[in-house]
């Protein structure tokens, strides 16, 4: 059994370009699917957030529309309710990477609000990437890598092949025109080799120890790759 670190957003709103706070948090599927897979494999999970705040779930991600109907939504909500780790997160500042076999960042728009500018998260990501330990990130989670900047101003993930929520998906979700910035644009700007798949279809990119998934539908495949990498 290994101990895995799940790093989640602590933000319950995402500030749009006009200053409007848009309700958000972490996306339920992106936490629940890898969580269940890791638990089924016998692994221990520790949740960390900025300041140790209880991570808020994006209530939209619990709607029947995103869970195959009401029964699926109820099942997803039940998984979150039973995930006691969500209620007892540790502070990012208290994380010792040596304690963990792998690191996982789920998405939701929340990371675009807090993790994208969080230096503790950025340092953790840089250290994890350089350690060779499996590092998995899905959907909007790669917003967190924007904070992985060294003293020279270079991003630790520059030159890595990765994916994340695309501009097309943000447009189709109806929020692209309201956003301060788009994730795909920012990842390309610092020098990542961004791989774009079909909108809403599962896509996973593996580059060395970095595992990234494009969207919520990629969560299961990301979890599979992460567990395979852990061995």
């Amino acid at each position: 059994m290994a101990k895995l670190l799940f790093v989640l957003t602590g933000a319950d709103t995402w500030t749009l370009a006009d200053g409007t706070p848009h309700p958000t948090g972490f996306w339920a599927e992106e936490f629940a699917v890898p969580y269940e897979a890791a638990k089924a494999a016998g692994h221990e999970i520790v949740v960390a957030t900025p300041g140790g705040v209880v991570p808020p779930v994006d209530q939209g991600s619990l709607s029947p529309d995103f869970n195959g109907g009401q029964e699926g939504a109820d099942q997803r909500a039940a998984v979150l309710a039973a995930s006691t780790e969500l209620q007892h997160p540790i502070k990012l500042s208290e994380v010792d990477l040596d304690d963990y076999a792998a690191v996982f960042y789920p998405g939701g728009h929340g990371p675009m609000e807090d993790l994208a500018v969080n230096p503790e998260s950025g340092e953790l990501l840089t250290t994890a990437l350089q350690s060779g330990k499996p590092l998995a990130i899905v959907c909007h989670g790669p917003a967190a890598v924007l904070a992985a900047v060294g003293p020279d101003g270079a991003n630790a993930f520059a030159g890595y092949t990765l994916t994340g929520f695309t501009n097309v998906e943000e447009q189709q979700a109806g929020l692209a025109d309201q956003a301060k910035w788009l994730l795909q644009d920012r990842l390309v700007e610092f020098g990542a080799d961004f791989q774009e798949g079909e909108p809403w279809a599962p896509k996973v990119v593996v580059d060395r120890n970095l595992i990234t998934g494009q969207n919520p539908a990629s969560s299961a495949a990301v979890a599979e790759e992460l567990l395979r990498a852990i061995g």
Side-chain angles (χ1 to χ4, degrees), residues 2-221:
K3 184 186 289 187
L4 314 183
L5 181 69
F6 278 37
V7 180
L8 274 69
T9 180
D12 60 5
T13 59
W14 173 40
T15 307
L16 301 178
D18 65 359
T20 302
H22 180 76
T24 189
F26 69 88
W27 197 258
E29 179 179 1
E30 296 167 24
F31 170 84
V33 171
Y35 176 89
E36 288 190 292
K39 283 289 193 176
H43 299 305
E44 178 184 353
I45 292 171
V46 174
V47 170
T49 64
V53 302
V54 174
V57 63
D58 187 319
Q59 291 300 318
S61 69
L62 292 174
S63 74
D65 291 345
F66 294 112
N67 293 284
Q70 188 60 54
E71 182 178 354
D74 291 343
Q75 291 174 348
R76 189 81 76 204
V79 171
L80 298 189
S83 304
T84 56
E85 297 90 343
L86 286 173
Q87 301 305 315
H88 304 284
I90 65 172
K91 297 178 181 178
L92 268 175
S93 59
E94 297 173 348
V95 170
D96 183 347
L97 186 62
D98 290 340
D99 294 338
Y100 303 96
V103 179
F104 172 62
Y105 277 66
H109 281 110
M112 296 181 72
E113 182 74 16
D114 60 353
L115 296 179
V117 293
N118 186 289
E120 292 168 346
S121 174
E123 183 177 355
L124 172 64
L125 284 165
T126 300
T127 304
L129 190 68
Q130 295 171 348
S131 74
K133 293 182 178 183
L135 171 60
I137 317 175
V138 67
C139 199
H140 287 94
V145 310
L146 298 175
V149 178
D152 61 355
N155 191 289
F157 291 76
Y160 274 77
T161 302
L162 49 73
T163 190
F165 205 64
T166 66
N167 290 354
V168 171
E169 287 167 324
E170 203 74 84
Q171 290 162 1
Q172 292 180 357
L175 289 168
D177 293 340
Q178 303 173 59
K180 290 182 179 178
W181 47 269
L182 298 179
L183 178 58
Q184 180 176 350
D185 291 344
R186 291 290 299 275
L187 295 174
V188 171
E189 282 172 8
F190 76 65
D193 178 11
F194 189 93
Q195 300 293 303
E196 180 177 359
E198 290 297 316
W200 312 108
K203 181 176 179 62
V204 175
V205 174
V206 180
D207 185 353
R208 288 157 277 186
N209 60 317
L210 177 64
I211 304 162
T212 51
Q214 180 172 311
N215 45 37
S218 306
S219 301

